[in-house]
């Protein structure tokens, strides 16, 4: 690797180019990240003596996972489970049924402009609020219990599914729709024969996915009084009955895994 | 010449298939009706039919919103933002190794390590951040720390799942080229895999940050800090004009974070 003879010097080692090519921007972003982290960390107050006390509780919780107690609170747990499961199914079905008109209304290739805008803004609001916040309002409106949970999950399902369905409808092949229009088919016939066959597999797949999500959510909204296993879990935590809480969590994890497995099987069979 | 008999109408399914489908639908509808009745066994319909009145009453109380309350919301909003950001950052740091252990092409052992990593992913995804927060508040005490860790624990599964799927999709020719130069496994990872998956990693993290902003707005309900605390406070004192302001603040934050996330992801991909 001598110089001389007018040969260029090559580096013996190749170095990866940096992620952000502009050095100024690179260091600027780095500096901003450091300043932000410093500021953000400053607002986190940790009461270490409280944490130290809590460690004991945490350890008891870990131990409770090794010997969960399914029996002593079984009547409460089973009631919560039934509430969660029934809520999940009914709200998913109601949500899917309601989301179809909203999806048709918010598909740009089908709906007139004012219907489109109305449906889109409804979906945007439904999606922006957490299920828990909707649950709080529903409990205030409908009283405690699984009915409030049902309304919450239905509302959230409509927000979630209508957006995805609408995107599916907008992505369909327009040729089928044109062909149907050319035969003089009515609006319902156009939807039924041109749009529905193209989007049905995805609609079923997404509905299964939402069933899965609704079960997970039904396990939490009980914390604010909207029925389901979350209420049982909250009570168990409040009473420091970690063995019952561990049992409930294990049941939730198990059911979510089963739901995910089943919905995966159905979705792969459909596609 | 034998005359063939053709049906007058074309039918998509044979009678047996139609019968099966019909029975399946019947069972499904019966199940829905049964669930509906089971769910509403203890429902007091009086309260449900009263809902429109309640709705009018509550919205009447919410109006006009007490805008001066906004001044008390800046700090909880900043806390909410910090919970989401620090929580996502912590989640990404933990999710990275989990993703590499879970991906079929980078895991050290397919039969032993991979199932464990997949189990971590599934367990983290099945438990909502509010439940994590409930546990952590019991253990660590109320405050931001519990919220940050709850968000992080919940994010691990989501981020690691999308990351390991990205890792499994990497182009193998580049890896063989780098291996052919005599590179060590770590160098293959650094020069072959990381550059291919980095954009999708960053995209995933930002997507999760956006979701986490939404999740962190409610963690305060169980004592884990942020704007949820103020919501809980205002709800329990029935201060509906304040609740209205909080809703507006949450909505604005969520929409803003969605906009940022969309912009940044658009820049990257």
């Amino acid at each position: 690797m001598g110089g001389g003879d007018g040969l260029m010097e090559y580096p013996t080692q190749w170095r990866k180019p940096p992620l952000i090519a502009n050095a100024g921007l690179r260091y600027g972003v780095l500096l901003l990240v450091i300043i932000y982290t410093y500021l953000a960390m400053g607002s986190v107050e940790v009461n270490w003596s409280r944490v130290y006390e809590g460690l004991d509780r945490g350890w008891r919780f870990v131990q409770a996972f090794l010997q969960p107690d399914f029996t002593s609170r079984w009547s409460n747990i089973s009631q919560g489970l039934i509430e969660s499961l029934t809520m999940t199914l009914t709200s998913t079905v109601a949500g899917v049924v309601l989301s179809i008109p909203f999806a048709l209304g918010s598909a740009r290739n089908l709906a007139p402009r004012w219907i489109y805008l109305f449906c889109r803004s409804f979906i945007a609001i439904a999606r922006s609020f957490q299920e828990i916040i909707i649950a709080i309002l529903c409990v205030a409106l409908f009283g405690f219990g699984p009915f409030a949970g049902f309304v919450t999950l239905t509302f959230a399902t409509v927000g979630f599914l209508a957006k995805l369905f609408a995107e599916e409808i907008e992505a369909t092949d327009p040729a089928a729709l044109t062909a149907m229009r050319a035969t003089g088919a009515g609006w319902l016939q156009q939807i039924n024969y041109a749009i529905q066959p193209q989007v049905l597999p995805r609609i079923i797949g997404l509905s299964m996915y939402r069933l899965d999500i609704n079960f997970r959510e039904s396990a939490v909204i009980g914390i604010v009084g909207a029925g389901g296993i979350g209420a049982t879990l909250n009570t168990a935590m409040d009473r420091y009955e970690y063995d019952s809480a561990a049992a409930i969590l294990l049941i939730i994890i198990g059911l979510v895994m089963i739901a995910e497995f089943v919905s995966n099987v159905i979705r792969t069979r459909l596609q | 010449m034998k005359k063939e008999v053709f049906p007058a109408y074309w039918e998509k399914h044979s009678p047996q298939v139609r019968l099966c489908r019909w029975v399946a639908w019947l069972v499904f509808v019966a199940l829905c009706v049964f669930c509906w009745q089971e769910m509403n066994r203890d429902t007091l319909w009086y309260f449900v039919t009263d809902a429109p009145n309640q709705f009018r009453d509550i919205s009447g109380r919410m109006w006009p919103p007490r805008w001066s309350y906004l001044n008390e919301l800046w700090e909880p909003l900043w806390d909410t933002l910090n919970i989401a950001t620090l929580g996502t950052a912590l989640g990404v740091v933990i999710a990275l190794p989990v993703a590499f252990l879970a991906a079929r092409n980078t895991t050290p052992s397919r039969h032993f390590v991979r199932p464990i990593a997949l189990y971590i992913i599934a367990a983290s995804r099945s438990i909502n951040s509010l439940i994590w927060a409930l546990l952590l508040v019991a253990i660590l005490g109320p405050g931001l720390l519990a919220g940050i860790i709850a968000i992080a624990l919940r994010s691990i599964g989501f981020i690691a799942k999308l990351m390991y799927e990205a890792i499994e999709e990497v182009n193998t020719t580049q890896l063989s080229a780098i291996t052919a130069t005599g590179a060590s496994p770590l160098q293959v990872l650094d020069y072959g895999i990381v550059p291919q998956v980095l954009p999708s990693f960053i995209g995933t993290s930002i997507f999760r940050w956006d979701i986490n902003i939404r999740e962190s707005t409610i963690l305060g309900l169980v004592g884990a800090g942020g704007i949820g605390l103020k919501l809980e406070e205002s709800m329990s004192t029935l201060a509906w004009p304040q609740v209205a302001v909080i809703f507006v603040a949450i909505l604005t934050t969520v929409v803003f974070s969605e906009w940022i996330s969309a912009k940044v992801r658009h820049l990257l991909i």
Side-chain angles (χ1 to χ4, degrees), chain A residues 16 36 43 54 57 127 136, chain B residues 82 125 138-139 190 214 235:
Chain A
K16 223 171 20 171
Y36 171 75
S43 65
R57 253 182 246 172
R127 283 168 54 77
I136 294 173
Chain B
N82 290 339
R125 273 158 55 81
I139 293 169
D190 190 16
R214 210 169 307 190
M235 298 275 304

Side-chain angles (χ1 to χ4, degrees), chain B residues 12-118:
Chain B
K12 202 174 168 188
H13 299 291
S14 68
Q16 287 94 332
V17 174
R18 262 186 293 154
L19 185 71
C20 282
R21 289 172 75 103
W22 190 81
V23 171
W25 271 108
L26 185 74
V27 169
F28 180 67
V29 172
L31 185 69
C32 289
V33 172
F34 169 75
C35 283
W36 175 259
Q37 281 173 341
E38 189 65 32
M39 182 186 87
N40 286 320
R41 222 169 26 176
D42 299 326
T43 304
L44 296 169
W45 291 106
Y46 171 73
F47 281 115
V48 176
T49 47
D50 196 40
N53 292 332
Q54 293 289 337
F55 183 73
R56 227 169 294 137
D57 184 42
I58 290 176
S59 23
R61 283 165 202 246
M62 277 187 178
W63 197 262
R66 188 177 300 152
W67 293 114
S68 59
Y69 188 62
L70 206 56
N71 287 328
E72 281 179 51
L73 288 183
W74 298 122
E75 211 188 317
L77 271 176
W78 170 242
D79 287 347
T80 302
L81 186 75
N82 290 339
I83 291 176
T85 314
L86 295 177
T88 313
L90 188 61
V92 169
V93 169
I94 305 172
L96 271 171
V98 176
F100 279 104
L101 294 179
R104 214 172 269 130
N105 46 355
T106 52
T107 181
S109 148
R110 273 186 208 189
H111 301 292
F112 194 69
V113 180
R114 185 162 188 264
I116 297 177
L118 288 180

Side-chain angles (χ1 to χ4, degrees), chain B residues 153-170:
Chain B
L153 286 175
R154 164 81 166 153
S155 308
I156 293 171
F158 180 91
I159 299 173
K161 186 176 156 69
L162 291 176
M163 280 183 175
Y164 95 73
E165 281 166 0
I167 298 170
E168 284 183 351
E169 279 167 17
V170 294

Side-chain angles (χ1 to χ4, degrees), chain A residues 14 16 19 36 40 43 50 54 57 61 127-128 130 132-133 136 141-142 146-147 150 216 220 256-257, chain B residues 36 39-40 51 55 82 85 122 125-126 128 135 138-139 141 144 190-191 198 214-215 218 221 235 247 251:
Chain A
W14 176 78
K16 223 171 20 171
L19 185 65
Y36 171 75
S43 65
R50 173 68 184 75
R57 253 182 246 172
F61 189 76
R127 283 168 54 77
S128 299
Q130 253 282 324
I132 299 290
I133 292 179
I136 294 173
L141 291 180
F142 301 106
F147 189 81
F150 162 77
R216 286 174 218 207
V220 233
V256 167
M257 281 180 164
Chain B
W36 175 259
M39 182 186 87
N40 286 320
F55 183 73
N82 290 339
T85 314
R125 273 158 55 81
S126 14
N128 198 290
L135 298 179
I139 293 169
L144 290 189
D190 190 16
Y191 292 98
L198 199 61
R214 210 169 307 190
E215 303 248 302
I218 46 147
L221 292 176
M235 298 275 304
F247 280 170
L251 195 66

Side-chain angles (χ1 to χ4, degrees), chain B residues 183-198:
Chain B
S184 69
L186 257 179
Q187 283 174 317
V188 174
L189 195 74
D190 190 16
Y191 292 98
I193 297 179
V194 170
Q196 287 192 53
V197 292
L198 199 61

Side-chain angles (χ1 to χ4, degrees), chain A:
Chain A
M1 276 271 165
D5 302 339
L7 276 173
M8 259 175 71
E9 288 232 17
Y10 285 104
T12 49
Q13 278 215 319
W14 176 78
R15 287 178 68 189
K16 223 171 20 171
L19 185 65
I20 303 171
N22 183 340
L25 189 65
R26 190 161 71 232
Y27 291 114
V29 169
L30 193 67
L31 191 70
L32 277 180
V33 169
I34 291 172
I35 291 175
Y36 171 75
T37 317
Y38 176 75
L39 286 177
M41 290 293 197
S43 65
V44 182
E45 285 167 24
V46 184
N47 183 350
W48 289 109
S49 61
R50 173 68 184 75
V51 173
Y52 182 73
E53 278 170 40
L55 283 181
D56 176 43
R57 253 182 246 172
W59 178 239
R60 270 198 289 140
F61 189 76
V62 172
Q63 278 180 320
F65 255 98
L66 299 177
Q67 36 188 201
D69 176 9
F70 289 93
T71 46
S72 59
R73 294 260 163 232
W74 180 247
S75 62
N76 291 341
I77 295 177
S78 63
Q79 206 216 333
L81 263 182
I82 290 172
E83 278 182 8
S84 270
L85 289 172
T86 52
M87 221 155 69
T88 307
L89 182 71
T90 48
S91 63
T92 310
V93 171
V96 170
V97 170
L98 284 176
S99 63
I100 288 170
F102 272 104
L104 292 172
S106 48
R108 208 171 291 149
N109 51 350
L110 294 174
R113 196 168 168 76
W114 64 274
I115 295 183
Y116 171 79
L117 286 177
F118 170 77
C119 289
R120 279 282 160 172
S121 40
F122 176 82
I123 291 173
I125 292 175
R127 283 168 54 77
S128 299
F129 284 112
Q130 253 282 324
E131 276 88 340
I132 299 290
I133 292 179
I134 304 169
I136 294 173
L137 284 178
C138 284
V139 169
L141 291 180
F142 301 106
F144 289 95
F147 189 81
F150 162 77
V151 178
T152 307
L153 291 180
T154 307
F155 186 70
T157 305
V158 172
F160 178 85
L161 287 182
K163 180 173 191 275
L164 295 172
F165 288 176
E167 274 159 19
E168 282 303 313
I169 294 172
E170 283 173 356
T172 51
D173 182 3
L177 198 62
T178 319
M180 285 306 297
R181 276 185 190 146
T183 65
W187 190 79
L188 267 179
Q189 284 173 316
Q190 286 175 23
I191 303 298
N192 197 14
Y193 293 97
I195 303 286
Q196 185 256 92
Q198 293 191 53
V199 294
L200 194 64
R202 285 284 293 165
I203 285 192
I204 296 174
L206 289 169
S207 305
M208 294 304 297
Y209 179 44
R210 186 65 213 191
L211 190 74
D212 190 13
I213 297 179
N214 275 351
F215 179 73
R216 286 174 218 207
E217 290 298 331
S218 77
V220 233
I221 52 180
I223 293 175
V224 294
I229 189 92
T232 324
L233 181 67
N234 202 15
T235 322
M237 292 296 299
D238 282 348
R239 289 186 188 144
Y240 299 109
E241 288 173 351
Y242 292 131
D243 38 6
S244 296
I248 296 169
L249 287 176
L250 286 173
I251 291 175
I252 295 177
I253 296 179
L255 280 171
V256 167
M257 281 180 164
I258 293 172
E260 199 159 309
F261 178 73
V262 171
S263 73
N264 265 337
V265 168
I266 294 180
R267 273 189 288 174
T268 41
R269 277 192 58 173
L270 281 169
Q271 277 148 16

